[in-house]
Amino acid sequence: MSVLQTSELNKQGVNVSVIDKLSQRIKQKGVPVETFVVLLTALLWVVLSFASPYFLTEGNVLNIMRQVSISGIIAFGVLFTILIAGIDLSVGSVAALAGVVVAKLLVLGLPIWLAVAGAMGLGIAIGLFNAFAIFRLGIPAFIVTLAGLQAYRGGALLASDGMSVSGLPKAFSAFARGEFLGIPTLFWTMVIIGLILHFVLTKTRTGRYLIAMGSNQESARRVGINISKMTFLAYTLSAALAALAGILLVSRLSVGTPTAAMAYELNAIAAAVVGGASLFGGRGSITGTFIGALLFVTIANGANLLGVDPFWQMVAAGVLIAIVVYIDNVQKRRKSGV
Amino acid sequence: MKKFTPILASATLAMSLVATSMSATAAESYVPVIVKATTSEYWQTVFLGARAAAKDAGVRIEELGAAAESDIAEQIAIMENTITRQPTAIVLAPTATDPLSGTVEAATAAGIPVILIDSAVGTDAYASFLSTNNYVGGQKGAEALAQCIKDKTGKAEGKVAYLTSLAGVESLTSRDNGFLDGMKAFPGIEVVDNRIGNNDMAQGLTNTLDIMSRTPDLVGLFADNAIMGIGAGAALDERGGNKPCLIAFDADEQEVNLLKDNIIDGLIVQDPYMMGYAGVWFAAAAGHGARLPKEIDTGVMVVTPSNYKESKFAGLLDPKKRQLGSFVGE
Amino acid sequence: MSDLLEIKNLRKSFGPVDVLRGVNLTLHKGEVLAVVGDNGAGKSTLIKHIAGVYHQDLGDITLDGSKVDFASPKEGREAGIETVYQDLALADELSVGANIFLGREPIKKLFGLFPTIDNQKILEETENLINRIESHIPPKAPNVAGLSGGQRQAVAIARALYWKAKVVILDEPTAALAVMERDNVVKLSKLLASEGVGVIYVGHNLVEILDVADRVAVMFQGQVVHVTRSEDTTQEELIKYMTGFSETKVA
C-alpha cells in the first residue's frame, strides 16, 4: 500500500516506488554480503582510478590479474570445504610443499609434466588423507587441517633442507610469465578452473549436494546423499588446487621456497567469506569468492600505488574481515530466527 | 674484513695452543649452536661453518633453533633447556634484542660463556659478539646502487625505493637505516618509496611491481634480505624491458643465479660461514677459560656481476666451496 | 480400505529397558491414523522402526502384503515410507523446489554431454505442487530459510506427496507452529489421505487429533492399548487410556 501511495503522490512516482520496493526488500531480507562486496570493490576501482594515474594502466591491471589468480585458485578450493561447513587451514602449507616438491623434481631432471604430475599427486593424496581423518576418524576439520598447517610446512622444510630450491628450467618459469590474447596465462588458468567449478556448483547434483550437506547434514543424509563422497571431494579439491597454486607460484618466482604461501589459508578463507560464503556452511559462490580475492588484491595494490603506510594497509584488511564476519553472524542469527 | 682477520687469527692461534694442551677434555666438550631459524639457507651456512670448526677444534656441537625467525618464545625455551644441561659454552644468534637478555644473563651466571653471533642482546653479560655490521652493510648497498645507476645512466641521479622484509627486526632496521644514510651522499638520488613484504617472496614480487607502476621512472631498488631480493628479481624478470638497478642483501643460491643473469646488480654478502666457524672456535676457547675479544666484525662485501667469479668470493657465494687456509679467512 | 501397513508383535529393548513390548497396529490406505501416548510410551521408537532407523528385536512389519526389513531410512524411503520429522529436515540454503527434489533431481544433458539439473522442470513441478496443496509458499524463494514453520512443514509434506509415498509419518508436525498454521497442517494431512496415502500422525494435542484423524491408536508402556474410530471416542476416554486408568488396563 505504501508503495502505491508514495508513487501516486510523487511526480517521479516510478523512481520512488522502485527505491521504496528496494528499501522494503532490504528491510525484509537485509543486503546480501555479495552485493555489498561487489559494490565496495567497484567503488574502490572507481576511486583508485581517480586517485592514481597508474591504477588503470595496462601494466597494473595485468599485475592485478596475475596476483588474483594464485590467491583465487586457493580460495576456490577452500570455498568447497567451507560450503560443507568444514574448513581447510592447511592450504598455504600444501602450496609450499607442492612448490618445493615440483622444484626438487625439476632440479633432479624430470620432465616438466612429470614433475607437475608428481606434485599434484602429492596434493591429491594430502586431500584424501585430510578427508579420511575428518570423515572416517571423526576428528574435527579445524583440528585436522590445523595439524596439517604445521605438518605439511614441516614436510616442505624437510624436503628442501630449509633452503630455497633454485636452478629450474626456463621453460617452467615461462608458463606463469606467459600471456595468451594479451591476458596472463595465470589468469586464464584461474578463469577456466573457476568456470568449471561454478558450473559444478550451480548446475550439477554434486554442487547441490555439497550445499545441502553444508546446510543440513542430517537432512542430506536422510535423502540418501553420499556424505562421505562429498567430504572426500571437497577436501581433495581444496588440497589439489592449493598444490596447483603452489606450483604456479614456483613458476612465477622461478624458485621453490619452503616458506612460500605463509598465511595464505587466512587470505583464502577471508576471500570466500567476504564473497558471501558462510562459515556455518551451505552458502557461498565461486563468483563471490573471486570478487573477495579481487577486493583484497585491490586493497594491497591501491595502498602500494598511493604509498599508504603498509601498517595501515594491514589494519584496513583486518577491519574489512571483521565487518564481513560480523555481517555473516547477523545473517546466521536471522537464519536461526532470533 | 681487514680489522677482523688478524684478531681472529691471533685468537685462533692462542686457542689452538690451549686446545692442544687440553685435548683430553676438549674431545668431550659440547657446544650448542642456537640459530634464529633452522629453515633458511643463511643459518644453514652458519651450521656448515660451525661443523667445520667442530671438526677442527675437536668439540661436539648440537644444531638448534626454532622453525621461524619470528618464534621468540621457542628460542627462549631452547636457551632455558640448554642452560639446564650445562654445556661448555653456548653459541647464540638471538632472534630479539631484549627478550633474550634474561637467558643470556642466566647462562653467564651459571658459568656458561655465551658467544653471540649475528645479532645483539640488551645486556653485556656475554663473552663475545661476532656480527656483520648491518648498518655498514646498508651503507655499502647505497654506494653499490648509486654506482650501478651511474654506470647505466651516466650520472648518479633519479628515484629509488627499498624493500623491507619485516618491520621491527633490529638487523633489518639497521640495514635500512644504513641504506638511507648512505644515500645522503648522493644528493641527485631521491628515495621515493618503501614497502614491507612480511618475509613473503610473492609479496616482495608484488610490491616491486606496484612500486614500478607508481614510479615508472624508477632507477634503483634495494632489497634488505634474500627473500625480498629474489622476489624483486622475479618481478624485474617477469616485467622485462628497461630494468632499474637492483641491489640485495645476502647470497642465496637463487640470488646468485639472478646476479649471473644480470637481473641483480649487486649482492651485499655477509659471512655466515665465518660466524658459525669462529663462534664455535670461540666457544671452545672460552670453555678453557681463554679471554675473548668483546666484539668482532665479520665484515660485508659487495659482489657484482663483474667480480663474482673472483676466487675470494667463491666460498661466500657457495659455502660448500669454502676452504679456510691456515690463517683462516681468504 | 485395504491394509497398507501391518505391525505384529513388535518388540524392542534398549539394554534392560523394554521400550516396545509387543506392538500390534494396522494402517489402511487413505486414512489418517493418529498415534497418541504419554512421553515414553514408545511413539517415537515405533515410528523409527517403521521408517527403518531402528531394527526390531522381534516381530514383523508388513507393507503392501510383503514383509519388510529396512537396513536404513534410505531403504525405507525407497519402499515408499516418508517421514516428516519434528526438526523438518530441510536444507535451509536450498530453494523450495531444490528441497522437494533433493536426492532425486531431474537431469538434462547440456550439449548432450554434461548431466545438469533441470531447474526449469523443478520450478514447473513445484508450482504445480504448490497449487495442488493450495499452499502460499513462494516457489521462487531462493532458499527456505526465510519460510515460516508452517510453510516449511508444507514443503516437507509436498515432497512426500510428489514422490508418491505410500506411508507418510508426521512426527508432531504442529509442535513448533503458531496456532494459525496448525489448521493448514491438518488440512494437508487430510489431503495426503485423500490422495490414497496412509498417514501416521503422532501428536499431543487431542483436539487437533480428533479433528485430523480417522482412527486413533493409544500407546501406553510400550504397547498399543486401544484403537478407536475418532468419532466414537472423546478426549476424556483417550486420556484414560494414555494414563493407564482405563477399566481394561486396571490389573
Side-chain angles (χ1 to χ4, degrees), chain A residues 82-265:
Chain A
I82 292 177
L83 273 178
I84 62 165
I87 196 84
D88 191 348
L89 298 173
S90 67
V91 285
S93 300
V94 172
L97 177 57
V100 166
V101 167
V102 79
K104 274 276 175 193
L105 293 178
L106 286 169
V107 169
L108 284 176
L110 263 66
I112 291 175
W113 69 268
L114 195 57
V116 170
M120 284 302 294
L122 179 66
I124 290 167
I126 287 173
L128 291 172
F129 176 77
N130 282 347
F132 176 82
I134 292 162
F135 190 78
R136 298 270 180 238
L137 307 182
I139 308 168
F142 182 84
I143 306 292
V144 170
T145 59
L146 185 65
L149 171 85
Q150 295 281 340
Y152 305 138
R153 178 73 62 185
L157 292 165
L158 281 173
S160 63
D161 287 330
M163 300 193 220
S164 52
V165 184
S166 56
L168 310 182
K170 296 276 181 203
F172 181 71
S173 304
F175 179 80
R177 292 180 188 173
E179 287 179 10
F180 179 68
L181 302 177
I183 306 282
T185 45
L186 282 178
F187 195 73
W188 281 115
T189 309
M190 185 209 66
V191 166
I192 291 166
I193 290 171
L195 285 175
I196 293 170
L197 295 179
H198 179 73
F199 174 80
V200 168
L201 210 50
T202 55
K203 303 285 180 212
T204 71
R205 283 184 170 175
T206 303
R208 184 153 295 178
Y209 295 171
L210 287 165
I211 292 170
M213 180 183 160
S215 189
N216 186 337
Q217 181 162 335
E218 195 45 41
S219 88
R221 198 194 301 275
R222 280 177 196 165
V223 300
I225 288 171
N226 190 337
I227 306 292
S228 161
K229 193 174 138 191
M230 294 300 136
T231 307
F232 274 87
L233 178 75
Y235 286 95
T236 307
L237 189 67
S238 179
L241 289 180
L244 177 65
I247 294 165
L248 293 173
L249 196 59
V250 172
S251 172
R252 196 175 180 209
L253 291 166
S254 307
V255 62
T257 33
T259 53
M262 210 67 112
Y264 279 26
E265 57 281 348

Side-chain angles (χ1 to χ4, degrees), chain A residues 52 54 57 59-60 63 66-67 157 161-168 170 176-177 186 249 252-255 257-262 264 300-311 313-314, chain B residues 38-42 44-45 67-68 167-168 193-196 198-203 205-211 213-216 227 230-231 233-235 237-239 252-254 257 261 320:
Chain A
S52 166
Y54 308 111
T57 57
N60 193 53
N63 287 346
R66 286 204 177 88
Q67 227 180 307
L157 292 165
D161 287 330
M163 300 193 220
S164 52
V165 184
S166 56
L168 310 182
K170 296 276 181 203
R177 292 180 188 173
L186 282 178
L249 196 59
R252 196 175 180 209
L253 291 166
S254 307
V255 62
T257 33
T259 53
M262 210 67 112
Y264 279 26
N301 178 263
N304 279 347
L305 291 191
L306 297 178
V308 174
D309 189 316
F311 296 151
Q313 182 184 329
M314 291 185 206
Chain B
T38 52
T39 56
S40 85
E41 196 162 334
Y42 181 86
Q44 289 295 328
T45 307
D193 214 340
N194 168 233
R195 294 285 118 190
I196 298 173
N198 294 323
N199 218 26
D200 177 8
M201 206 178 276
Q203 200 172 337
L205 183 156
T206 300
N207 285 348
T208 303
L209 292 173
D210 290 349
I211 287 171
S213 292
R214 186 182 177 211
T215 313
I227 290 181
I230 298 171
D237 199 15
E238 177 177 295
R239 202 168 181 275
D252 186 278
E253 193 182 329
Q254 177 68 2
N257 290 339
D261 290 346
K320 285 167 202 133

Side-chain angles (χ1 to χ4, degrees), chain C residues 3-6 61-70 166:
Chain C
D3 287 356
L4 177 62
L5 184 77
E6 198 178 1
I61 300 175
T62 310
L63 179 69
D64 264 346
S66 48
K67 270 189 199 173
V68 289
D69 197 359
F70 304 131
K166 294 174 185 164

